[in-house]
Amino acid sequence: MSGSQNLPSMTATLASKIEPAIERGIQRYFDACRARIPHFVSTHFDYPGAKKTNRVAFGLDILRAPVNLFWAPCYTLICLIRFILGYIAPKGRLSTLLAAVPAGFTTQVQQHISDLVIAELLSRPSTELDHAHSLNGYITEELRQLYQQTEQVEVDMAHFHGCFEPVMAESLSQYQVTRTASADIANTLSCTILGAFTFQKFTPGGIGIALMLAYSLSAQLAASDFILGPSVGELYYGIFPPDPSLGLTAATIAFVLTILASCAALSGVITDPIQARTGLHRFRLGKMLNHMESDLRQKTQGSFRPKDQYVARILESFDLIKSGLL
């Protein structure tokens, strides 16, 4: 009789220890992931690993990159609207629709890095039996220690896997956006240096370079049709440069930005080692893991919102202001 009375209390005591055991498993798992960051960064983002990581950009990425470049400002605006709606109507229809808007085409480099993060950093098991270092593995170990002196209780590990999947997918999606943003920032810096050496002008972005090129082309075209001949025309339009037409300006801007974006698809072989040496890659990955852990504990999603894309858009806005287009 007394044994029957003690059973509910033992069950209640055990149940009260389950959640702390799960919390310990989550904590140990993410601590292990964070400990793998330095090796992951040095292997895939520093030399010579950066060459292998960015080698997959050769191919369709060169075509996807310009599309992502022109779409990036629109996506940034959508992210800002989602951020505001998160406080006003987090579960509204508009918030749901905006959440489904893609960040752009997933490039081969982005997908390759995501696969590396899942397999090596997050230690996602490739088979059902290979999960010792996965999230489920750490939670299982903690629960096994809790139940080792009690009756075996069935635990639905698929539940934790199901909770973690959307958190991981959302975080990796945002991490992929940082690749495009980093390429855009590298473009801006490259254009500033190129403008300084080529045109002796301050050109903080591709639009500034494009406008300088448009003015140069306009002067050459006008000189070729000058009534006193091209040589005199070059002298005249060197003193009184003509304004380029709207069509020539638009075409030049589109051409220059497309070329820059295509080059940016391959720029990771230079920018990745710089970010690895300066600690930016370690900081970004650590922040992503912290937010993933927080989302999993609090049963939320989408708290990881890196600021790289906003920095890139601010630099682009400065380029537009300096060029007189904004």
Side-chain angles (χ1 to χ4, degrees), residues 290-309:
N290 292 340
H291 281 278
M292 289 171 72
E293 180 179 3
S294 176
D295 282 340
L296 189 60
R297 288 177 182 275
Q298 299 175 19
K299 298 180 177 61
T300 57
Q301 185 179 327
S303 67
F304 179 54
R305 297 292 175 196
K307 305 300 187 295
D308 305 58
Q309 59 176 324

Side-chain angles (χ1 to χ4, degrees), residues 21-310:
I22 293 172
E23 291 288 328
R24 288 194 301 271
I26 293 173
Q27 179 69 52
R28 289 181 57 216
Y29 168 72
F30 281 102
D31 285 345
C33 291
R34 281 186 280 265
R36 287 190 286 268
I37 289 177
H39 180 263
F40 182 85
V41 171
S42 64
T43 301
H44 300 295
F45 294 130
D46 207 347
Y47 285 122
K51 293 181 181 179
K52 183 177 180 180
T53 299
N54 290 278
R55 191 181 301 160
V56 297
F58 288 96
L60 291 178
D61 275 8
I62 297 176
L63 300 177
R64 294 188 184 103
V67 178
N68 287 344
L69 173 70
F70 290 111
W71 173 244
C74 301
Y75 183 72
T76 302
L77 180 61
I78 290 171
C79 288
L80 286 172
I81 295 173
R82 283 179 60 191
F83 178 78
I84 295 171
L85 289 175
Y87 291 96
I88 302 174
K91 295 183 180 180
R93 183 181 179 128
L94 182 57
S95 296
T96 304
L97 289 174
L98 292 179
V101 175
F105 286 112
T106 300
T107 64
Q108 291 173 301
V109 172
Q110 289 174 335
Q111 188 60 54
H112 176 62
I113 293 174
S114 294
D115 292 341
L116 291 173
V117 169
I118 291 172
E120 299 182 18
L121 198 62
L122 299 177
S123 288
R124 186 176 181 180
S126 55
T127 65
E128 292 184 3
L129 299 177
D130 181 26
H131 63 77
H133 299 290
S134 68
L135 175 62
N136 286 0
Y138 278 95
I139 293 176
T140 300
E141 183 181 344
E142 289 292 335
L143 292 175
R144 186 181 295 115
Q145 293 177 11
L146 178 62
Y147 297 150
Q148 63 184 354
Q149 294 183 350
T150 65
E151 183 180 354
Q152 180 65 39
V153 179
E154 196 71 31
V155 180
D156 183 13
M157 296 309 298
H159 168 73
F160 300 105
H161 182 75
C163 291
F164 188 47
E165 278 295 311
V167 171
M168 180 178 66
E170 174 69 18
S171 296
L172 287 177
S173 174
Q174 288 300 312
Y175 184 69
Q176 289 176 350
V177 172
T178 65
R179 297 291 303 181
T180 302
S182 295
D184 291 346
I185 293 171
N187 260 346
T188 299
L189 296 177
S190 300
C191 289
T192 302
I193 296 171
L194 180 63
F197 283 96
T198 305
F199 300 105
Q200 288 76 50
K201 297 284 186 179
F202 177 54
T203 54
I207 293 178
I209 291 287
L211 288 180
M212 294 297 299
L213 184 60
Y215 273 98
S216 177
L217 289 173
S218 179
Q220 291 179 18
L221 290 173
S224 65
D225 293 332
F226 195 65
I227 190 171
L228 299 178
S231 299
V232 178
E234 287 181 6
L235 292 174
Y236 177 80
Y237 290 116
I239 301 173
F240 306 103
D243 290 331
S245 66
L246 181 61
L248 178 62
T249 301
T252 306
I253 290 175
F255 174 76
V256 169
L257 291 183
T258 300
I259 294 298
L260 288 174
S262 298
C263 293
L266 309 173
S267 66
V269 72
I270 298 173
T271 60
D272 277 337
I274 294 174
Q275 293 182 75
R277 299 290 177 89
T278 57
L280 285 175
H281 275 308
R282 289 191 294 275
F283 172 78
R284 194 178 293 129
L285 288 168
K287 190 173 182 180
M288 181 185 72
L289 291 175
N290 292 340
H291 281 278
M292 289 171 72
E293 180 179 3
S294 176
D295 282 340
L296 189 60
R297 288 177 182 275
Q298 299 175 19
K299 298 180 177 61
T300 57
Q301 185 179 327
S303 67
F304 179 54
R305 297 292 175 196
K307 305 300 187 295
D308 305 58
Q309 59 176 324
Y310 301 112

